[in-house]
Amino acid sequence: MRVIVVSAVSLGAAALVCWGVRRCCASRKTRIICQVSELNTYPLKSAAAVPEAHLILDEYGPVGDRRAMIVNEDGDFQTQRQIPRLCLIRANWLTPDTLQFDAPGMQSLVVDVPSVMPATTRTVRVWDEYVTAADAGSVADEWCTKFLEKPVHLVLMGTWFERPLPEPEWTPKGYSKTQTSFADAYPLLLTSHASLNELNRRIVASGGEALPMNRFRTNVAVRGQPLRPFEEDTWKRIRIGNVEFHCVKPCSRCKIPTTDQATGERSAEPLATLETYRKPKHGGFTQEVLFGINLVHAKTSYGKAIHCGDDITVLEYKPSEFD
């Protein structure tokens, strides 16, 4: 495996907001509800976002998304939960099989991603799952260890990688063989600017400063009329452009959104405010703070693309966790 260090170059007339009125998902018509306003990939899990004009889908999710990961010496995945400085690393694809890593004060690191199962692998853990990943080698490990200031390893995945969706109870019928990458659980995350605006309204009203969408590390951000705050809680199936997705479960939030993605510094928000109104009172999420929804796509969508500006059509609704 080649590793090079080079000089740094550098959804229907819809649900009312969850904070006031019970929402009904019965008999709402299929209709365009908003548009895609932002698309992102994260080639290195928990590192900086790469804005995209479009996302091409493969069997794992958006092509190039979360195909590299940092693990500790025990093989456990490392994210901004443990290492906030991860947000300062920028990973970009030079070719479909070559990643470049940059970070403040560091020379650029270029790593080849093996297209077939390599001879040198490492068993690593993502939450409760153990998977086989490619070991990027000692030069990459030294680069990551130096910048992150703790002993770590860089691992990679290629088209040989296998990791079925990790939560069978949330997997839609017919999707049991669907794969995912080094993502926490699902191929894509969708968030809404209407929901962010409502969150920021509350933060500002309590004396804080409005926060950007990048705190939530979304793949797909949406905005437009008649989208209402947290209406996405009620979506079961949607179409983005000409690609259909299942909205499998809401996204439970950890402390990563409290990390300033430009500096790596932590603060109390947005979790302090989300705690006041985004914890369901019943169901399986009563101890969780929710913001955004996880998506899965069908095998028939592999090779298709979604684009900034695409319409989002809600095809099917469900009750909200806040009803």
Side-chain angles (χ1 to χ4, degrees), residues 149-198:
E149 301 174 345
K150 66 179 293 186
V152 295
H153 302 279
L154 177 67
V155 296
L156 310 162
M157 57 163 283
T159 54
W160 42 267
F161 182 79
E162 293 186 2
R163 185 189 171 211
L165 293 180
E167 299 175 310
E169 68 274 22
W170 290 100
T171 302
K173 185 177 181 181
Y175 285 70
S176 61
K177 295 184 178 180
T178 298
Q179 302 282 323
T180 191
S181 62
F182 289 135
D184 273 3
Y186 295 99
L188 297 100
L189 175 70
L190 179 148
T191 56
S192 157
H193 277 280
S195 302
L196 178 63
N197 291 343
E198 170 56 24

mmCIF file of all heavy atoms in Angstrom, residues 149-198:
data_model
loop_
_atom_site.group_PDB
_atom_site.id
_atom_site.type_symbol
_atom_site.label_atom_id
_atom_site.label_comp_id
_atom_site.label_asym_id
_atom_site.label_seq_id
_atom_site.Cartn_x
_atom_site.Cartn_y
_atom_site.Cartn_z
ATOM 1 N N GLU A 149 -2.451 13.906 18.942
ATOM 2 C CA GLU A 149 -1.805 13.929 20.257
ATOM 3 C C GLU A 149 -2.201 12.745 21.129
ATOM 4 O O GLU A 149 -2.306 12.862 22.347
ATOM 5 C CB GLU A 149 -2.097 15.267 20.972
ATOM 6 C CG GLU A 149 -1.619 16.476 20.180
ATOM 7 C CD GLU A 149 -2.029 17.806 20.787
ATOM 8 O OE1 GLU A 149 -2.922 17.802 21.667
ATOM 9 O OE2 GLU A 149 -1.464 18.847 20.393
ATOM 10 N N LYS A 150 -2.397 11.609 20.510
ATOM 11 C CA LYS A 150 -2.618 10.345 21.223
ATOM 12 C C LYS A 150 -2.345 9.206 20.252
ATOM 13 O O LYS A 150 -2.500 9.382 19.035
ATOM 14 C CB LYS A 150 -4.035 10.257 21.806
ATOM 15 C CG LYS A 150 -5.149 10.193 20.777
ATOM 16 C CD LYS A 150 -6.521 10.071 21.430
ATOM 17 C CE LYS A 150 -6.708 8.741 22.138
ATOM 18 N NZ LYS A 150 -8.086 8.559 22.640
ATOM 19 N N PRO A 151 -1.956 8.037 20.748
ATOM 20 C CA PRO A 151 -1.638 6.928 19.850
ATOM 21 C C PRO A 151 -2.897 6.413 19.138
ATOM 22 O O PRO A 151 -3.861 5.999 19.789
ATOM 23 C CB PRO A 151 -1.075 5.859 20.788
ATOM 24 C CG PRO A 151 -0.683 6.585 22.029
ATOM 25 C CD PRO A 151 -1.650 7.724 22.154
ATOM 26 N N VAL A 152 -2.888 6.478 17.815
ATOM 27 C CA VAL A 152 -4.035 6.048 17.024
ATOM 28 C C VAL A 152 -3.541 5.366 15.758
ATOM 29 O O VAL A 152 -2.358 5.427 15.402
ATOM 30 C CB VAL A 152 -4.954 7.230 16.650
ATOM 31 C CG1 VAL A 152 -5.604 7.842 17.879
ATOM 32 C CG2 VAL A 152 -4.196 8.275 15.845
ATOM 33 N N HIS A 153 -4.498 4.730 15.050
ATOM 34 C CA HIS A 153 -4.228 4.115 13.754
ATOM 35 C C HIS A 153 -5.259 4.621 12.753
ATOM 36 O O HIS A 153 -6.407 4.930 13.117
ATOM 37 C CB HIS A 153 -4.319 2.588 13.849
ATOM 38 C CG HIS A 153 -3.378 1.989 14.852
ATOM 39 N ND1 HIS A 153 -2.045 1.743 14.593
ATOM 40 C CD2 HIS A 153 -3.579 1.587 16.145
ATOM 41 C CE1 HIS A 153 -1.462 1.220 15.645
ATOM 42 N NE2 HIS A 153 -2.368 1.112 16.607
ATOM 43 N N LEU A 154 -4.859 4.676 11.490
ATOM 44 C CA LEU A 154 -5.771 5.013 10.401
ATOM 45 C C LEU A 154 -6.150 3.738 9.679
ATOM 46 O O LEU A 154 -5.272 2.950 9.291
ATOM 47 C CB LEU A 154 -5.102 5.994 9.425
ATOM 48 C CG LEU A 154 -5.925 6.382 8.191
ATOM 49 C CD1 LEU A 154 -7.151 7.201 8.584
ATOM 50 C CD2 LEU A 154 -5.053 7.161 7.200
ATOM 51 N N VAL A 155 -7.457 3.510 9.502
ATOM 52 C CA VAL A 155 -7.920 2.337 8.766
ATOM 53 C C VAL A 155 -8.802 2.790 7.610
ATOM 54 O O VAL A 155 -9.359 3.889 7.612
ATOM 55 C CB VAL A 155 -8.671 1.341 9.674
ATOM 56 C CG1 VAL A 155 -7.744 0.781 10.740
ATOM 57 C CG2 VAL A 155 -9.903 1.984 10.306
ATOM 58 N N LEU A 156 -8.936 1.919 6.614
ATOM 59 C CA LEU A 156 -9.608 2.249 5.368
ATOM 60 C C LEU A 156 -10.555 1.125 4.968
ATOM 61 O O LEU A 156 -10.421 -0.013 5.421
ATOM 62 C CB LEU A 156 -8.572 2.438 4.247
ATOM 63 C CG LEU A 156 -7.400 3.374 4.558
ATOM 64 C CD1 LEU A 156 -6.260 3.129 3.574
ATOM 65 C CD2 LEU A 156 -7.850 4.825 4.497
ATOM 66 N N MET A 157 -11.517 1.459 4.111
ATOM 67 C CA MET A 157 -12.408 0.439 3.556
ATOM 68 C C MET A 157 -12.468 0.606 2.046
ATOM 69 O O MET A 157 -12.342 1.709 1.511
ATOM 70 C CB MET A 157 -13.816 0.545 4.145
ATOM 71 C CG MET A 157 -14.478 1.892 3.963
ATOM 72 S SD MET A 157 -16.275 1.882 4.214
ATOM 73 C CE MET A 157 -16.825 1.152 2.664
ATOM 74 N N GLY A 158 -12.645 -0.515 1.339
ATOM 75 C CA GLY A 158 -12.833 -0.507 -0.112
ATOM 76 C C GLY A 158 -14.098 -1.258 -0.468
ATOM 77 O O GLY A 158 -14.932 -1.564 0.396
ATOM 78 N N THR A 159 -14.241 -1.593 -1.730
ATOM 79 C CA THR A 159 -15.463 -2.267 -2.185
ATOM 80 C C THR A 159 -15.578 -3.694 -1.656
ATOM 81 O O THR A 159 -16.634 -4.311 -1.778
ATOM 82 C CB THR A 159 -15.521 -2.294 -3.724
ATOM 83 O OG1 THR A 159 -14.320 -2.878 -4.236
ATOM 84 C CG2 THR A 159 -15.641 -0.869 -4.269
ATOM 85 N N TRP A 160 -14.533 -4.202 -1.048
ATOM 86 C CA TRP A 160 -14.540 -5.530 -0.447
ATOM 87 C C TRP A 160 -15.107 -5.507 0.983
ATOM 88 O O TRP A 160 -15.352 -6.548 1.584
ATOM 89 C CB TRP A 160 -13.101 -6.065 -0.380
ATOM 90 C CG TRP A 160 -12.134 -5.006 0.044
ATOM 91 C CD1 TRP A 160 -11.409 -4.176 -0.770
ATOM 92 C CD2 TRP A 160 -11.803 -4.612 1.391
ATOM 93 N NE1 TRP A 160 -10.654 -3.290 -0.019
ATOM 94 C CE2 TRP A 160 -10.875 -3.539 1.302
ATOM 95 C CE3 TRP A 160 -12.195 -5.057 2.640
ATOM 96 C CZ2 TRP A 160 -10.338 -2.920 2.416
ATOM 97 C CZ3 TRP A 160 -11.668 -4.439 3.759
ATOM 98 C CH2 TRP A 160 -10.752 -3.386 3.645
ATOM 99 N N PHE A 161 -15.315 -4.330 1.528
ATOM 100 C CA PHE A 161 -15.720 -4.150 2.925
ATOM 101 C C PHE A 161 -17.148 -4.654 3.147
ATOM 102 O O PHE A 161 -18.027 -4.462 2.306
ATOM 103 C CB PHE A 161 -15.634 -2.666 3.266
ATOM 104 C CG PHE A 161 -15.976 -2.298 4.682
ATOM 105 C CD1 PHE A 161 -15.071 -2.465 5.701
ATOM 106 C CD2 PHE A 161 -17.212 -1.747 4.987
ATOM 107 C CE1 PHE A 161 -15.371 -2.089 7.005
ATOM 108 C CE2 PHE A 161 -17.524 -1.365 6.280
ATOM 109 C CZ PHE A 161 -16.601 -1.547 7.291
ATOM 110 N N GLU A 162 -17.387 -5.285 4.292
ATOM 111 C CA GLU A 162 -18.727 -5.779 4.628
ATOM 112 C C GLU A 162 -19.132 -5.286 6.015
ATOM 113 O O GLU A 162 -18.430 -5.502 6.996
ATOM 114 C CB GLU A 162 -18.776 -7.301 4.596
ATOM 115 C CG GLU A 162 -18.593 -7.878 3.198
ATOM 116 C CD GLU A 162 -18.795 -9.382 3.169
ATOM 117 O OE1 GLU A 162 -19.124 -9.964 4.236
ATOM 118 O OE2 GLU A 162 -18.607 -9.985 2.106
ATOM 119 N N ARG A 163 -20.291 -4.603 6.047
ATOM 120 C CA ARG A 163 -20.864 -4.176 7.319
ATOM 121 C C ARG A 163 -22.364 -3.961 7.121
ATOM 122 O O ARG A 163 -22.806 -2.892 6.706
ATOM 123 C CB ARG A 163 -20.212 -2.888 7.819
ATOM 124 C CG ARG A 163 -20.704 -2.483 9.216
ATOM 125 C CD ARG A 163 -20.226 -1.125 9.619
ATOM 126 N NE ARG A 163 -20.872 -0.695 10.849
ATOM 127 C CZ ARG A 163 -21.140 0.575 11.160
ATOM 128 N NH1 ARG A 163 -20.839 1.556 10.327
ATOM 129 N NH2 ARG A 163 -21.744 0.871 12.294
ATOM 130 N N PRO A 164 -23.180 -4.981 7.391
ATOM 131 C CA PRO A 164 -24.637 -4.826 7.253
ATOM 132 C C PRO A 164 -25.165 -3.760 8.208
ATOM 133 O O PRO A 164 -24.536 -3.443 9.222
ATOM 134 C CB PRO A 164 -25.175 -6.216 7.620
ATOM 135 C CG PRO A 164 -24.014 -7.142 7.471
ATOM 136 C CD PRO A 164 -22.799 -6.340 7.810
ATOM 137 N N LEU A 165 -26.328 -3.219 7.884
ATOM 138 C CA LEU A 165 -26.959 -2.251 8.784
ATOM 139 C C LEU A 165 -27.012 -2.836 10.191
ATOM 140 O O LEU A 165 -27.426 -3.977 10.380
ATOM 141 C CB LEU A 165 -28.363 -1.903 8.304
ATOM 142 C CG LEU A 165 -28.466 -1.133 6.986
ATOM 143 C CD1 LEU A 165 -29.930 -0.873 6.642
ATOM 144 C CD2 LEU A 165 -27.706 0.181 7.039
ATOM 145 N N PRO A 166 -26.618 -2.068 11.206
ATOM 146 C CA PRO A 166 -26.378 -2.643 12.534
ATOM 147 C C PRO A 166 -27.597 -2.825 13.422
ATOM 148 O O PRO A 166 -27.478 -3.429 14.485
ATOM 149 C CB PRO A 166 -25.413 -1.646 13.159
ATOM 150 C CG PRO A 166 -25.774 -0.339 12.536
ATOM 151 C CD PRO A 166 -26.176 -0.664 11.123
ATOM 152 N N GLU A 167 -28.748 -2.288 13.051
ATOM 153 C CA GLU A 167 -29.908 -2.338 13.939
ATOM 154 C C GLU A 167 -31.085 -2.996 13.226
ATOM 155 O O GLU A 167 -31.913 -2.313 12.611
ATOM 156 C CB GLU A 167 -30.281 -0.924 14.406
ATOM 157 C CG GLU A 167 -29.172 -0.241 15.179
ATOM 158 C CD GLU A 167 -29.505 1.193 15.542
ATOM 159 O OE1 GLU A 167 -29.920 1.957 14.659
ATOM 160 O OE2 GLU A 167 -29.345 1.549 16.725
ATOM 161 N N PRO A 168 -31.184 -4.339 13.298
ATOM 162 C CA PRO A 168 -32.235 -5.048 12.554
ATOM 163 C C PRO A 168 -33.640 -4.562 12.872
ATOM 164 O O PRO A 168 -34.520 -4.574 12.001
ATOM 165 C CB PRO A 168 -32.047 -6.509 12.987
ATOM 166 C CG PRO A 168 -30.636 -6.596 13.449
ATOM 167 C CD PRO A 168 -30.315 -5.255 14.037
ATOM 168 N N GLU A 169 -33.864 -4.125 14.102
ATOM 169 C CA GLU A 169 -35.205 -3.692 14.494
ATOM 170 C C GLU A 169 -35.650 -2.429 13.759
ATOM 171 O O GLU A 169 -36.838 -2.124 13.690
ATOM 172 C CB GLU A 169 -35.286 -3.473 16.006
ATOM 173 C CG GLU A 169 -34.484 -2.316 16.554
ATOM 174 C CD GLU A 169 -33.039 -2.659 16.864
ATOM 175 O OE1 GLU A 169 -32.508 -3.638 16.289
ATOM 176 O OE2 GLU A 169 -32.420 -1.922 17.658
ATOM 177 N N TRP A 170 -34.694 -1.676 13.202
ATOM 178 C CA TRP A 170 -35.017 -0.462 12.460
ATOM 179 C C TRP A 170 -34.872 -0.636 10.947
ATOM 180 O O TRP A 170 -35.164 0.286 10.193
ATOM 181 C CB TRP A 170 -34.120 0.689 12.918
ATOM 182 C CG TRP A 170 -34.426 1.164 14.295
ATOM 183 C CD1 TRP A 170 -33.760 0.859 15.442
ATOM 184 C CD2 TRP A 170 -35.505 2.012 14.685
ATOM 185 N NE1 TRP A 170 -34.341 1.468 16.520
ATOM 186 C CE2 TRP A 170 -35.418 2.188 16.075
ATOM 187 C CE3 TRP A 170 -36.534 2.655 13.983
ATOM 188 C CZ2 TRP A 170 -36.319 2.972 16.790
ATOM 189 C CZ3 TRP A 170 -37.433 3.441 14.689
ATOM 190 C CH2 TRP A 170 -37.314 3.590 16.072
ATOM 191 N N THR A 171 -34.409 -1.794 10.522
ATOM 192 C CA THR A 171 -34.153 -2.010 9.096
ATOM 193 C C THR A 171 -35.452 -2.288 8.352
ATOM 194 O O THR A 171 -36.195 -3.200 8.714
ATOM 195 C CB THR A 171 -33.184 -3.188 8.901
ATOM 196 O OG1 THR A 171 -31.963 -2.914 9.599
ATOM 197 C CG2 THR A 171 -32.885 -3.409 7.425
ATOM 198 N N PRO A 172 -35.764 -1.507 7.309
ATOM 199 C CA PRO A 172 -37.004 -1.754 6.551
ATOM 200 C C PRO A 172 -37.004 -3.131 5.905
ATOM 201 O O PRO A 172 -35.948 -3.697 5.610
ATOM 202 C CB PRO A 172 -36.984 -0.645 5.484
ATOM 203 C CG PRO A 172 -36.030 0.377 5.978
ATOM 204 C CD PRO A 172 -35.016 -0.357 6.792
ATOM 205 N N LYS A 173 -38.198 -3.660 5.680
ATOM 206 C CA LYS A 173 -38.340 -4.954 5.027
ATOM 207 C C LYS A 173 -37.669 -4.917 3.665
ATOM 208 O O LYS A 173 -37.853 -3.988 2.886
ATOM 209 C CB LYS A 173 -39.827 -5.300 4.876
ATOM 210 C CG LYS A 173 -40.075 -6.685 4.313
ATOM 211 C CD LYS A 173 -41.566 -6.996 4.255
ATOM 212 C CE LYS A 173 -41.815 -8.395 3.705
ATOM 213 N NZ LYS A 173 -43.270 -8.700 3.626
ATOM 214 N N GLY A 174 -36.871 -5.948 3.393
ATOM 215 C CA GLY A 174 -36.174 -6.029 2.126
ATOM 216 C C GLY A 174 -34.804 -5.382 2.115
ATOM 217 O O GLY A 174 -34.099 -5.419 1.108
ATOM 218 N N TYR A 175 -34.397 -4.784 3.252
ATOM 219 C CA TYR A 175 -33.119 -4.085 3.322
ATOM 220 C C TYR A 175 -32.128 -4.804 4.234
ATOM 221 O O TYR A 175 -31.101 -4.231 4.607
ATOM 222 C CB TYR A 175 -33.318 -2.664 3.828
ATOM 223 C CG TYR A 175 -33.924 -1.715 2.816
ATOM 224 C CD1 TYR A 175 -35.246 -1.831 2.427
ATOM 225 C CD2 TYR A 175 -33.171 -0.698 2.250
ATOM 226 C CE1 TYR A 175 -35.813 -0.960 1.518
ATOM 227 C CE2 TYR A 175 -33.715 0.184 1.326
ATOM 228 C CZ TYR A 175 -35.039 0.039 0.972
ATOM 229 O OH TYR A 175 -35.579 0.900 0.062
ATOM 230 N N SER A 176 -32.377 -6.042 4.585
ATOM 231 C CA SER A 176 -31.549 -6.726 5.577
ATOM 232 C C SER A 176 -30.107 -6.925 5.106
ATOM 233 O O SER A 176 -29.204 -7.084 5.921
ATOM 234 C CB SER A 176 -32.165 -8.081 5.941
ATOM 235 O OG SER A 176 -32.252 -8.913 4.795
ATOM 236 N N LYS A 177 -29.869 -6.931 3.786
ATOM 237 C CA LYS A 177 -28.517 -7.116 3.260
ATOM 238 C C LYS A 177 -27.855 -5.790 2.885
ATOM 239 O O LYS A 177 -26.753 -5.773 2.340
ATOM 240 C CB LYS A 177 -28.547 -8.050 2.059
ATOM 241 C CG LYS A 177 -28.980 -9.476 2.411
ATOM 242 C CD LYS A 177 -28.902 -10.410 1.216
ATOM 243 C CE LYS A 177 -29.304 -11.826 1.623
ATOM 244 N NZ LYS A 177 -29.241 -12.759 0.468
ATOM 245 N N THR A 178 -28.528 -4.683 3.195
ATOM 246 C CA THR A 178 -27.960 -3.373 2.898
ATOM 247 C C THR A 178 -26.707 -3.147 3.734
ATOM 248 O O THR A 178 -26.663 -3.466 4.916
ATOM 249 C CB THR A 178 -28.993 -2.269 3.181
ATOM 250 O OG1 THR A 178 -30.126 -2.464 2.328
ATOM 251 C CG2 THR A 178 -28.403 -0.886 2.922
ATOM 252 N N GLN A 179 -25.672 -2.586 3.105
ATOM 253 C CA GLN A 179 -24.409 -2.328 3.777
ATOM 254 C C GLN A 179 -24.319 -0.855 4.185
ATOM 255 O O GLN A 179 -25.044 0.000 3.677
ATOM 256 C CB GLN A 179 -23.241 -2.653 2.835
ATOM 257 C CG GLN A 179 -23.216 -4.084 2.333
ATOM 258 C CD GLN A 179 -22.694 -5.047 3.373
ATOM 259 O OE1 GLN A 179 -21.781 -4.736 4.138
ATOM 260 N NE2 GLN A 179 -23.267 -6.238 3.415
ATOM 261 N N THR A 180 -23.400 -0.574 5.087
ATOM 262 C CA THR A 180 -23.062 0.805 5.405
ATOM 263 C C THR A 180 -21.562 0.899 5.596
ATOM 264 O O THR A 180 -20.856 -0.116 5.647
ATOM 265 C CB THR A 180 -23.836 1.316 6.635
ATOM 266 O OG1 THR A 180 -23.675 2.724 6.745
ATOM 267 C CG2 THR A 180 -23.366 0.644 7.921
ATOM 268 N N SER A 181 -21.060 2.111 5.691
ATOM 269 C CA SER A 181 -19.621 2.372 5.746
ATOM 270 C C SER A 181 -19.165 2.425 7.203
ATOM 271 O O SER A 181 -19.674 1.715 8.063
ATOM 272 C CB SER A 181 -19.335 3.693 5.022
ATOM 273 O OG SER A 181 -20.005 4.758 5.706
ATOM 274 N N PHE A 182 -18.204 3.306 7.487
ATOM 275 C CA PHE A 182 -17.793 3.554 8.873
ATOM 276 C C PHE A 182 -18.728 4.538 9.572
ATOM 277 O O PHE A 182 -18.433 4.987 10.690
ATOM 278 C CB PHE A 182 -16.369 4.106 8.918
ATOM 279 C CG PHE A 182 -15.292 3.119 8.565
ATOM 280 C CD1 PHE A 182 -14.260 3.484 7.699
ATOM 281 C CD2 PHE A 182 -15.283 1.846 9.091
ATOM 282 C CE1 PHE A 182 -13.254 2.600 7.378
ATOM 283 C CE2 PHE A 182 -14.274 0.939 8.779
ATOM 284 C CZ PHE A 182 -13.252 1.321 7.913
ATOM 285 N N ALA A 183 -19.851 4.912 8.930
ATOM 286 C CA ALA A 183 -20.844 5.772 9.574
ATOM 287 C C ALA A 183 -21.313 5.135 10.877
ATOM 288 O O ALA A 183 -21.208 3.914 11.061
ATOM 289 C CB ALA A 183 -22.024 5.997 8.640
ATOM 290 N N ASP A 184 -21.852 5.943 11.780
ATOM 291 C CA ASP A 184 -22.310 5.384 13.053
ATOM 292 C C ASP A 184 -23.275 4.226 12.843
ATOM 293 O O ASP A 184 -23.192 3.207 13.533
ATOM 294 C CB ASP A 184 -22.966 6.469 13.906
ATOM 295 C CG ASP A 184 -21.956 7.226 14.755
ATOM 296 O OD1 ASP A 184 -20.742 6.946 14.641
ATOM 297 O OD2 ASP A 184 -22.377 8.099 15.529
ATOM 298 N N ALA A 185 -24.233 4.377 11.933
ATOM 299 C CA ALA A 185 -25.204 3.303 11.740
ATOM 300 C C ALA A 185 -25.793 3.251 10.336
ATOM 301 O O ALA A 185 -25.968 2.173 9.788
ATOM 302 C CB ALA A 185 -26.343 3.420 12.762
ATOM 303 N N TYR A 186 -26.102 4.409 9.743
ATOM 304 C CA TYR A 186 -26.876 4.425 8.501
ATOM 305 C C TYR A 186 -26.155 5.206 7.405
ATOM 306 O O TYR A 186 -25.299 6.046 7.683
ATOM 307 C CB TYR A 186 -28.269 5.019 8.760
ATOM 308 C CG TYR A 186 -29.074 4.146 9.682
ATOM 309 C CD1 TYR A 186 -29.168 4.447 11.044
ATOM 310 C CD2 TYR A 186 -29.682 2.991 9.215
ATOM 311 C CE1 TYR A 186 -29.868 3.625 11.909
ATOM 312 C CE2 TYR A 186 -30.385 2.155 10.074
ATOM 313 C CZ TYR A 186 -30.473 2.478 11.410
ATOM 314 O OH TYR A 186 -31.166 1.648 12.264
ATOM 315 N N PRO A 187 -26.520 4.957 6.145
ATOM 316 C CA PRO A 187 -25.783 5.551 5.026
ATOM 317 C C PRO A 187 -25.854 7.068 4.927
ATOM 318 O O PRO A 187 -24.886 7.690 4.501
ATOM 319 C CB PRO A 187 -26.422 4.899 3.795
ATOM 320 C CG PRO A 187 -26.979 3.600 4.291
ATOM 321 C CD PRO A 187 -27.449 3.898 5.679
ATOM 322 N N LEU A 188 -26.993 7.677 5.275
ATOM 323 C CA LEU A 188 -27.122 9.131 5.130
ATOM 324 C C LEU A 188 -27.872 9.738 6.308
ATOM 325 O O LEU A 188 -28.728 9.086 6.916
ATOM 326 C CB LEU A 188 -27.883 9.500 3.848
ATOM 327 C CG LEU A 188 -27.278 9.128 2.501
ATOM 328 C CD1 LEU A 188 -27.923 7.868 1.973
ATOM 329 C CD2 LEU A 188 -27.436 10.255 1.497
ATOM 330 N N LEU A 189 -27.570 11.019 6.555
ATOM 331 C CA LEU A 189 -28.283 11.801 7.560
ATOM 332 C C LEU A 189 -28.880 13.028 6.889
ATOM 333 O O LEU A 189 -28.189 13.725 6.126
ATOM 334 C CB LEU A 189 -27.340 12.227 8.677
ATOM 335 C CG LEU A 189 -27.937 13.167 9.732
ATOM 336 C CD1 LEU A 189 -28.962 12.437 10.585
ATOM 337 C CD2 LEU A 189 -26.846 13.769 10.609
ATOM 338 N N LEU A 190 -30.149 13.307 7.179
ATOM 339 C CA LEU A 190 -30.840 14.483 6.646
ATOM 340 C C LEU A 190 -31.229 15.403 7.797
ATOM 341 O O LEU A 190 -31.730 14.953 8.824
ATOM 342 C CB LEU A 190 -32.083 14.067 5.856
ATOM 343 C CG LEU A 190 -32.939 15.183 5.247
ATOM 344 C CD1 LEU A 190 -33.584 14.702 3.942
ATOM 345 C CD2 LEU A 190 -34.031 15.681 6.193
ATOM 346 N N THR A 191 -31.002 16.715 7.603
ATOM 347 C CA THR A 191 -31.431 17.717 8.578
ATOM 348 C C THR A 191 -32.146 18.852 7.852
ATOM 349 O O THR A 191 -31.996 19.033 6.645
ATOM 350 C CB THR A 191 -30.238 18.289 9.364
ATOM 351 O OG1 THR A 191 -29.276 18.832 8.446
ATOM 352 C CG2 THR A 191 -29.591 17.226 10.237
ATOM 353 N N SER A 192 -32.892 19.631 8.629
ATOM 354 C CA SER A 192 -33.750 20.683 8.071
ATOM 355 C C SER A 192 -33.345 22.059 8.585
ATOM 356 O O SER A 192 -33.143 22.250 9.786
ATOM 357 C CB SER A 192 -35.205 20.394 8.463
ATOM 358 O OG SER A 192 -35.990 21.552 8.444
ATOM 359 N N HIS A 193 -33.261 23.024 7.674
ATOM 360 C CA HIS A 193 -32.978 24.397 8.093
ATOM 361 C C HIS A 193 -34.147 24.997 8.867
ATOM 362 O O HIS A 193 -33.934 25.867 9.723
ATOM 363 C CB HIS A 193 -32.635 25.261 6.880
ATOM 364 C CG HIS A 193 -31.201 25.151 6.468
ATOM 365 N ND1 HIS A 193 -30.185 25.821 7.103
ATOM 366 C CD2 HIS A 193 -30.605 24.415 5.496
ATOM 367 C CE1 HIS A 193 -29.031 25.526 6.544
ATOM 368 N NE2 HIS A 193 -29.254 24.677 5.562
ATOM 369 N N ALA A 194 -35.374 24.548 8.580
ATOM 370 C CA ALA A 194 -36.510 25.039 9.366
ATOM 371 C C ALA A 194 -36.344 24.634 10.830
ATOM 372 O O ALA A 194 -36.610 25.422 11.748
ATOM 373 C CB ALA A 194 -37.819 24.490 8.802
ATOM 374 N N SER A 195 -35.884 23.411 11.054
ATOM 375 C CA SER A 195 -35.656 22.948 12.426
ATOM 376 C C SER A 195 -34.489 23.680 13.069
ATOM 377 O O SER A 195 -34.536 24.049 14.254
ATOM 378 C CB SER A 195 -35.395 21.440 12.429
ATOM 379 O OG SER A 195 -36.484 20.744 11.856
ATOM 380 N N LEU A 196 -33.420 23.913 12.300
ATOM 381 C CA LEU A 196 -32.284 24.672 12.827
ATOM 382 C C LEU A 196 -32.694 26.097 13.170
ATOM 383 O O LEU A 196 -32.277 26.644 14.202
ATOM 384 C CB LEU A 196 -31.151 24.683 11.808
ATOM 385 C CG LEU A 196 -29.913 25.478 12.217
ATOM 386 C CD1 LEU A 196 -29.256 24.888 13.451
ATOM 387 C CD2 LEU A 196 -28.919 25.580 11.059
ATOM 388 N N ASN A 197 -33.514 26.717 12.339
ATOM 389 C CA ASN A 197 -33.967 28.088 12.621
ATOM 390 C C ASN A 197 -34.759 28.156 13.920
ATOM 391 O O ASN A 197 -34.613 29.106 14.706
ATOM 392 C CB ASN A 197 -34.814 28.611 11.464
ATOM 393 C CG ASN A 197 -34.003 28.852 10.207
ATOM 394 O OD1 ASN A 197 -32.779 28.932 10.251
ATOM 395 N ND2 ASN A 197 -34.678 28.948 9.073
ATOM 396 N N GLU A 198 -35.600 27.142 14.154
ATOM 397 C CA GLU A 198 -36.364 27.121 15.408
ATOM 398 C C GLU A 198 -35.430 26.919 16.604
ATOM 399 O O GLU A 198 -35.584 27.571 17.644
ATOM 400 C CB GLU A 198 -37.413 26.019 15.362
ATOM 401 C CG GLU A 198 -38.122 25.738 16.679
ATOM 402 C CD GLU A 198 -38.792 26.979 17.276
ATOM 403 O OE1 GLU A 198 -39.122 27.935 16.518
ATOM 404 O OE2 GLU A 198 -38.990 26.998 18.494
#
